[in-house]
Amino acid sequence: MTGINTKCVQAGYTPKNGEPRVIPIVQSTTFKYDTSEDMGKLFDLEASGYFYTRLQNPTNDYVAAKICALEGGTAAMLTSSGQAASFYSIFNIASCGDHVICSTNVYGGTYNLFAVTVKRMGIDFTFINPDCTDEELNAAFKPNTKAVFGETLANPSLVVFDIERFAKAAHDHGVPLIIDNTFATPINCRPFEFGADIVVHSTTKYMDGHATSVGGCIVDSGKFDWTKYADKFPGLTTPDESYHGITYTEKFGLGGAYITKATAQLMRDLGSIPSPHNAFLLNIGLESLHVRVKRHCENALTVAKFLEKHPNVSWVNYPGLESNKYYKLAQKYLPNGSSGVVSFGVKGGRKNAEAFMKKLKLAAIVTHVADIRTCCLHPASSTHRQMTEEELNDAGVPSDLVRFSVGLEDVEDIISDLEQALN
Ligand SMILES: *Cc1c(COP(=O)(O)O)cnc(C)c1O
């Protein structure tokens, strides 16, 4: 199974003789054993198997295995949300007193999680502009830096992250690069091919695609050698007293240590496991991911080109447009298309943007993005309404900005809706 399309449809679950063709929903919290000894081996991580769904569940594992195959990783786990995936990806290797470097152009929820909540746990963050110089980047590293974090295609700024450059800097300083690949999806970009070490997803977006299930995923490339920097990552390279003195890198190798630790410690103690039913729904989305993403990108490029020519639009941001600041980087990292999300400015500012939103008929006003249904958001009057004009400009969401998530309807219908609302 080598092609990405085949993996979307079939990877992760291969039924044996007489077993269900479709991934079964194992909606059970608990698994039965004949003897206490049998179960004891599972608790000691001596044998693999299921005992309690907070730690592992077959439905969740099949779906995680599919995403692992799509990204080209060695191990993966599902989480109940993208936020949980981002948090675990950091907290699995950094603790109180440590430091992490993060791109300034990340999802707002990620920024809050790191800058406010994780910071309160004693982990310090340096936020760095993804377009900074190599000098500025290298100067951001400290002796206690444990990871670098960025987003392939940032939500909502659509800034394309130079994965190769940041991976090199991270590796020069002996730490992994973690990439949030939510908007690109493994159909458009596989960050491991450019040197990233860990990938996280909010599967809530294109992966699910139908806006049914909040979820997340963490995938390990298995390429980062924790043992080479054993002093930096004692959680992976020294015995875990909370798990009978197991040393994760010894017992599970470089391919399995990171995800096993995240499951055995973080999921055990913090418990952000998805419901097996949600994992089942996520898989139905993944089965058509390759077809959907391609069409989202085609429709979005057509919409972006239409907007660029419209007299009532002051600017358009879509990395697939040749006029875009990130066009070159997008051609390198996202040659098949960036995503279905286009942002643009309505001429006349806030007042006209609000009027435009009121006129939309086909595009629904929702906070969600990356859905099969075209949806639209005016941040200045909704998600960011408490901010002043100046704060909005500083945050890169000026009051004329509309975020338009192009769906899978006929592009002619999407454009006529835009046209009537803009006119
Ligand atoms: C939505 C989103 C998240 C958070 O995911 P949830 O599933 O909503 O918790 C993280 N990163 C990106 C890029 C997102 O778009």
Side-chain angles (χ1 to χ4, degrees), residues 81-83 86 107 110 151 155 180 182-183 202 204-205 214-215:
S81 67
Q83 288 298 96
S86 298
Y107 171 65
T110 307
E151 228 167 89
N155 173 11
D180 181 334
T182 298
F183 263 29
S202 164
T204 315
K205 315 294 163 57
V214 173

Side-chain angles (χ1 to χ4, degrees), residues 180-309:
D180 181 334
N181 199 31
T182 298
F183 263 29
T185 83
I187 301 303
N188 284 345
C189 179
R190 288 175 297 281
F192 295 157
E193 293 172 5
F194 298 100
D197 301 286
I198 312 283
V199 159
V200 298
H201 281 282
S202 164
T203 59
T204 315
K205 315 294 163 57
Y206 289 115
M207 297 278 232
D208 171 87
H210 300 75
T212 68
S213 313
V214 173
C217 186
I218 312 175
V219 189
D220 183 9
S221 67
K223 284 190 206 142
F224 191 81
D225 191 350
W226 312 102
T227 61
K228 202 168 149 194
Y229 309 100
D231 292 349
K232 265 193 206 288
F233 304 104
L236 285 157
T237 58
T238 60
D240 176 4
E241 294 314 326
S242 80
Y243 240 110
H244 322 294
I246 276 176
T247 299
Y248 292 100
T249 45
E250 270 173 24
K251 187 137 179 103
F252 301 100
L254 296 182
Y258 179 90
I259 293 294
T260 308
K261 177 176 183 284
T263 302
Q265 280 183 349
L266 302 183
M267 203 53 96
R268 177 195 63 187
D269 296 347
L270 302 169
S272 311
I273 201 77
S275 135
H277 188 256
N278 274 13
F280 173 83
L281 292 172
L282 167 58
N283 180 60
I284 291 182
L286 292 172
E287 287 176 349
S288 64
L289 184 68
H290 53 305
V291 184
R292 288 186 291 107
V293 164
K294 186 163 177 278
R295 180 62 70 85
H296 276 295
C297 293
E298 287 166 7
N299 280 0
L301 187 60
T302 309
V303 164
K305 285 182 176 162
F306 159 79
L307 290 169
E308 217 174 19
K309 290 204 204 93

Side-chain angles (χ1 to χ4, degrees), residues 71-87:
E71 288 288 3
T74 56
M77 70 195 284
L78 296 189
T79 55
S80 55
S81 67
Q83 288 298 96
S86 298
F87 173 52

Side-chain angles (χ1 to χ4, degrees), residues 99-110:
H99 170 254
V100 173
I101 296 169
C102 181
S103 164
T104 45
N105 281 81
V106 289
Y107 171 65
T110 307

